[in-house]
Amino acid sequence: PPPPPPPQQQPTTLGGGGGGGASTSTRGRGADPEGGEGGAGVVTFGHLRRISKDLPSTATLPNQIQLQQPGDVDVLTIGRHRLNSVQLDCPRVPSLLSRQHAEIRLEANGVHTVTDKNTLNGTYLNGNLIPKGPCPLKHGDVLAFGGPANVLRDSKTLRNSFRYEYLRPLDQEQWRSAMAATVGGQASGSGGGNVNRSGDTAAAAAVAAV
């Protein structure tokens, strides 16, 4: 009989849900329509969680957007065009966002920044139109693309469906400690030896609670 085919190797990723029309890198960055948690061993560094739940989530209206984690130098682009890292669009408010609307970077100090790409309807941070240039984000900020909480369309006032809360409960060093604790705990559970996890359990619990 012919020899059996070789086993297929599965790509190694750190998690992040599938995003349909939005891309997701192997570092878990991109859109997760349902807002699911990452895979085993993932400690989320920062993400956007949709506030406006008046419409169900879709591939272009995700409940959660995973952001870069330390070591990821890629720029996360957001806009209506399908070639963005995260495509945002909604039939109820078509063309509210520009084709290339905003971009989010992770600076060397572990702070995410958002920059509006000179769009018509702008990007808002905590209800205020952000100025030109990168704006740093802090845990609990509300980021709205294409307008404030309410937008005017065809003489009707509608809720802006593209409002997200920025969540990053740990700073860069706390996140690294939580990652080390998670990976160390898995190694210990599989017979990989004893790992000192003192001081890291609270950090990991803080992430899990978000």
Side-chain angles (χ1 to χ4, degrees), residues 177-204:
S177 295
M179 281 290 290
T182 302
V183 174
Q186 290 178 344
S188 177
S190 60
N194 294 326
V195 179
N196 183 3
R197 299 180 60 191
S198 61
D200 296 335
T201 305

Side-chain angles (χ1 to χ4, degrees), residues 5-126:
Q8 293 184 352
Q9 293 184 348
Q10 297 298 325
T12 301
T13 67
L14 289 180
S23 63
T24 304
S25 78
T26 56
R27 298 189 68 88
R29 179 175 58 83
D32 183 353
E34 300 302 328
E37 298 298 329
V42 176
V43 178
T44 301
F45 180 65
H47 64 276
L48 299 177
R49 184 166 62 191
R50 186 159 67 102
I51 298 174
S52 307
K53 296 294 184 69
D54 50 331
L55 293 176
S57 62
T58 66
T60 58
L61 190 61
N63 283 339
Q64 184 165 298
I65 298 173
Q66 298 291 342
L67 302 181
Q68 304 96 322
Q69 61 189 34
D72 190 348
V73 297
D74 293 340
V75 177
L76 185 125
T77 60
I78 297 173
R80 188 163 40 89
H81 197 278
R82 62 181 179 83
L83 293 182
N84 285 288
S85 305
V86 177
Q87 181 187 13
L88 291 183
D89 202 4
C90 175
R92 190 181 67 174
V93 283
S95 303
L96 184 65
L97 271 66
S98 297
R99 292 167 64 86
Q100 296 180 336
H101 196 93
E103 64 182 28
I104 295 178
R105 298 174 181 266
L106 179 61
E107 306 298 335
N109 60 359
V111 174
H112 287 106
T113 62
V114 60
T115 302
D116 184 82
K117 304 295 288 182
N118 295 320
T119 61
L120 178 64
N121 294 323
T123 301
Y124 288 73
L125 183 61
N126 298 325

